[in-house]
Amino acid sequence: MLKPTLISLVLVSLLNACSQPESHSPTLTEASNTQIAQDYQHMLNRFVDVDMHTDLSALSKQDIQVLKKLIQVADILDVIYLKQTYENNAQIRKAIIDSNSPHQSTLLSLFDLHYGPWDTLEADKPFFGDTKRPDGAGVYPVDMTREEFNQWIAAHPEDEAAFKSGYTVIVREGDKLKAIPYSQYYATELQAAAKLMQEAAALTHDKSLRIFLLKRADAFLNDQYRDSEMAWMDLTGQLEVAIGPYETYTDKLFGYKTFFEAFITVRNPEDSAKLAVYKKYLTQMELNLPIQDQYKNLQRGSESPISVVDQIAGGGDNKPGVQTVAFNLPNDEYVREVKGSKKVMLKNVLNAKYQAIMQPISSLIISKEQQPLLMEKYFFNETLFHELSHGLGPGTLTLNGRETSVSEELKETYSKIEEGKADVMGAYNMLFLMDKGELPKTERQNMLVTYFAGLFRSMRFGIHEAHGAGAAFQYNFFKEKQAFTFDKQTQTYKVNFVELEMAISDLVKEITMIQALGDYQAAKAFLAKYAVLDDDVASINQKMASIPTDIKPHYPKL
């Protein structure tokens, strides 16, 4: 819990920032408060409100009842995620409510938007109080260092599996460290969520959904997730739901711990069927990677279904800050090796982002002569092939006779490396399918310009964030390879097509080899060199200041 002294410090810091001493003139105070109000409002304005619509007319009354239960589960995962992000978040929110700040309403909106008192678009800079966001979020002791964690495991090797598990919280008990399973640490919330999933399972006529919900409910109570991950791969009905602890982005200490989230969506069977053709090329895409055969992952499962869906609700890690447009799950390497992974495209979210953000960015930064080459189709396709590419390349590794994985070896660098890899490999694979005739060869330049423009949307998330860092290292690598030119007078970019294609291949090779070798030091050095904000990009970001950074979706109540 947040100690009273810490709450006091947070409030004093806020009040010092939001008011002036009595000796200052009222005019100065008013000016200061006005500027603070404008700064806070600017932070909110970076997210444009969008009313999301989904056609639910094909769903039965029972389907609607199932959805209502699952939305309740999503709300519970919201509560868990708030704790996972920072153990004292609830107390800090209460401190905002109890404060006398004239900006209380805006501060609450910002807190609820970012799930904490830190601006996720500005390297987690605090907007309330001055507490630094802990790298270990709320799943490690705030004062624990990487060295202490590693030293504990070295001294207590029997604890290694539990400490590195994605489903435990590390706590301090006196002078000892201890791993507590999620099912115990978040017992109240997970038991309530499991009950709702069991009730939803009893209502649905969809056998595959019933099996998944029951297995996932069991996993919430025993921390054994593999069976339910397998069952999730087999979902075939109209309701496509992902519920559980998945991504590790918020764990910036090691990238070990998973964070709870929920995607409640409705499948679009027609659009899903159109994209199914790409699945048959997954093995060929793996074989086509520009690395030696010994590093290619040809054992990974190839089921890899693709679902195009409309989202109707979300929870937990799915909701704060920048909105997810697609996901590729599960992350369990064993399940990926056996069954592959599923790619889920959130069509209504993608469309909203293209219209509100991507179109105005592209019209601002791409040279006039290449403007006609931009195509919404390739904004969608780059997202699809980004997700397909998450399932390609090294996954499980054998290093010096030891079985491990890319994510475990690359630690906190993994998310940034992997997101950038999926981006550039997505473009690489679209070029491959154009050579195969599955995508129109005549649209090669359309794809390249649209892909390049998309990097600027992601870089606005900040290089502290995985997708933003991944976009930045692509941009800087391509700059080094002279794959584009920048006109400082017009502040617009022009793609050099031949050079960009070569740079894409070179970057796929370099990143994939870092992963194949599990080379943590090489990953750190690569990010230090390339995952930086270029001066021209910083200037462009100022030029794009009036364009929203992302959307804030509002889903209708059922």
Side-chain angles (χ1 to χ4, degrees):
M1 291 182 66
L2 188 67
K3 298 178 182 179
T5 51
L6 182 52
I7 293 177
S8 300
L9 286 172
V10 170
L11 286 173
V12 167
S13 176
L14 174 71
L15 294 175
N16 285 339
C18 296
S19 63
Q20 299 289 334
E22 291 182 9
S23 59
H24 285 205
S25 68
T27 303
L28 185 60
T29 303
E30 288 179 14
S32 176
N33 279 327
T34 299
Q35 184 59 55
I36 291 168
Q38 290 174 349
D39 290 345
Y40 286 152
Q41 191 58 49
H42 170 70
M43 292 168 66
L44 283 177
N45 290 345
R46 287 178 298 179
F47 295 84
V48 60
D49 292 279
V50 178
D51 290 326
M52 308 296 283
H53 303 287
T54 304
D55 182 7
L56 302 179
S57 59
L59 299 183
S60 68
K61 289 183 178 179
Q62 280 177 307
D63 287 332
I64 298 296
Q65 291 305 309
V66 170
L67 287 175
K68 288 181 177 179
K69 294 279 187 187
L70 298 181
I71 291 171
Q72 287 181 266
V73 173
D75 291 341
I76 291 173
L77 299 193
D78 247 14
V79 175
I80 298 178
Y81 180 73
L82 195 65
K83 292 180 181 179
Q84 286 188 295
T85 304
Y86 187 51
E87 191 72 29
N88 297 324
N89 260 338
Q91 289 88 346
I92 290 178
R93 193 178 191 280
K94 185 176 184 302
I96 295 174
I97 293 171
D98 292 342
S99 74
N100 295 318
S101 168
H103 314 295
Q104 181 196 78
S105 176
T106 313
L107 284 167
L108 278 177
S109 295
L110 285 169
F111 182 97
D112 293 341
L113 174 66
H114 294 288
Y115 278 53
W118 301 282
D119 185 349
T120 56
L121 293 182
E122 294 291 340
D124 293 327
K125 179 181 178 181
F127 54 79
F128 180 81
D130 56 6
T131 301
K132 181 183 180 295
R133 184 169 187 163
D135 287 343
V139 289
Y140 301 92
V142 249
D143 60 347
M144 192 199 75
T145 63
R146 291 188 182 97
E147 292 70 26
E148 182 184 4
F149 182 93
N150 289 328
Q151 287 168 6
W152 181 271
I153 290 176
H156 304 85
E158 70 279 5
D159 287 344
E160 181 172 6
F163 271 50
K164 291 185 176 180
S165 166
Y167 310 118
T168 62
V169 176
I170 307 302
V171 301
R172 195 180 294 286
E173 289 189 349
D175 59 352
K176 297 180 179 180
L177 293 175
K178 180 180 179 181
I180 301 179
Y182 282 177
S183 60
Q184 296 176 27
Y185 200 82
Y186 306 114
T188 301
E189 293 87 357
L190 289 176
Q191 288 170 15
K195 184 173 184 296
L196 284 164
M197 286 191 288
Q198 290 163 349
E199 292 170 357
L203 286 170
T204 185
H205 290 306
D206 179 348
K207 183 179 178 181
S208 64
L209 180 60
R210 182 186 309 120
I211 291 171
F212 166 68
L213 291 174
L214 290 175
K215 286 181 178 292
R216 191 57 116 201
D218 288 344
F220 276 10
L221 304 178
N222 62 22
D223 304 294
Q224 302 300 311
Y225 282 89
R226 187 159 289 167
D227 280 352
S228 56
E229 298 283 46
M230 293 281 205
W232 182 75
M233 286 289 294
D234 297 330
L235 289 181
T236 56
Q238 284 184 288
L239 306 186
E240 179 73 77
V241 298
I243 296 173
Y246 292 112
E247 306 294 0
T248 63
Y249 303 124
T250 311
D251 175 4
K252 294 181 172 62
L253 199 63
F254 289 107
Y256 292 153
K257 304 303 178 184
T258 59
F259 288 74
F260 284 90
E261 66 183 332
F263 292 90
I264 312 301
T265 75
V266 177
R267 193 193 309 270
N268 182 320
E270 293 79 17
D271 285 349
S272 299
K274 288 178 187 175
L275 300 183
V277 65
Y278 300 130
K279 293 190 299 183
K280 70 181 183 182
Y281 283 101
L282 287 172
T283 299
Q284 291 184 55
M285 288 180 195
E286 185 74 38
L287 285 167
N288 186 56
L289 292 178
I291 57 175
Q292 295 176 28
D293 287 347
Q294 68 190 84
Y295 299 117
K296 294 173 182 176
N297 190 349
L298 300 174
Q299 306 304 316
R300 184 172 280 164
S302 58
E303 287 190 22
S304 296
I306 300 171
S307 285
V308 179
V309 304
D310 282 332
Q311 183 166 350
I312 60 172
D317 200 11
N318 168 217
K319 289 176 68 176
V322 174
Q323 298 298 295
T324 300
V325 294
F327 56 90
N328 176 63
L329 294 173
N331 290 326
D332 184 326
E333 275 300 331
Y334 175 84
V335 181
R336 285 174 177 259
E337 296 288 337
V338 174
K339 302 198 73 164
S341 58
K342 185 191 299 183
K343 291 76 181 161
V344 181
M345 311 289 294
L346 306 174
K347 186 177 181 180
N348 57 344
V349 180
L350 267 164
N351 289 345
K353 289 201 184 199
Y354 186 82
Q355 293 163 16
I357 301 162
M358 194 61 205
Q359 273 187 329
I361 285 178
S362 301
S363 65
L364 203 62
I365 67 166
I366 298 299
S367 67
K368 285 187 177 180
E369 64 184 280
Q370 291 189 345
Q371 282 280 326
L373 295 172
L374 292 155
M375 289 181 70
E376 181 175 3
K377 166 184 177 180
Y378 284 103
F379 178 63
F380 181 91
N381 279 357
E382 170 57 24
T383 305
L384 168 63
F385 281 88
H386 172 108
E387 298 305 331
L388 286 169
S389 297
H390 273 311
L392 298 172
T396 300
L397 304 176
T398 302
L399 300 177
N400 300 318
R402 175 174 55 90
E403 290 295 321
T404 182
S405 67
V406 175
S407 59
E408 183 172 346
E409 293 306 309
L410 297 192
K411 302 175 186 177
E412 80 283 355
T413 70
Y414 172 73
S415 293
K416 292 178 179 180
I417 292 288
E418 175 64 21
E419 289 303 329
K421 180 213 84 171
D423 260 2
V424 68
M425 194 181 284
Y428 181 83
N429 285 325
M430 281 191 282
L431 291 170
F432 172 69
L433 287 186
M434 286 176 178
D435 293 336
K436 290 289 183 181
E438 285 294 349
L439 288 171
K441 292 181 181 179
T442 55
E443 293 175 355
R444 206 173 188 94
Q445 293 185 351
N446 303 88
M447 184 279 287
L448 289 169
V449 173
T450 307
Y451 156 67
F452 179 73
L455 298 179
F456 293 85
R457 182 185 72 88
S458 297
M459 280 190 282
R460 297 176 83 203
F461 304 158
I463 57 174
H464 64 287
E465 190 271 345
H467 301 80
F473 77 60
Q474 290 168 81
Y475 171 92
N476 287 303
F477 189 91
F478 297 156
K479 182 178 181 179
E480 183 177 271
K481 299 291 184 178
Q482 300 181 335
F484 60 82
T485 55
F486 178 64
D487 186 327
K488 288 188 179 293
Q489 185 174 354
T490 62
Q491 287 194 307
T492 58
Y493 289 87
K494 181 181 176 182
V495 170
N496 301 327
F497 297 110
V498 174
E499 290 83 355
L500 181 56
E501 285 199 31
M502 293 174 60
I504 284 171
S505 180
D506 289 345
L507 181 54
V508 169
K509 180 177 181 179
E510 185 156 346
I511 286 295
T512 308
M513 284 308 300
I514 287 173
Q515 293 190 327
L517 299 174
D519 195 334
Y520 174 65
Q521 294 303 325
K524 285 180 67 176
F526 182 89
L527 292 175
K529 180 178 180 180
Y530 293 108
V532 295
L533 193 63
D534 175 88
D535 289 341
D536 292 335
V537 174
S539 176
I540 286 291
N541 283 345
Q542 291 299 316
K543 183 179 178 181
M544 296 189 295
S546 62
I547 300 173
T549 302
D550 208 61
I551 64 170
K552 184 179 179 183
H554 298 278
Y555 296 101
K557 292 188 180 297
L558 296 186

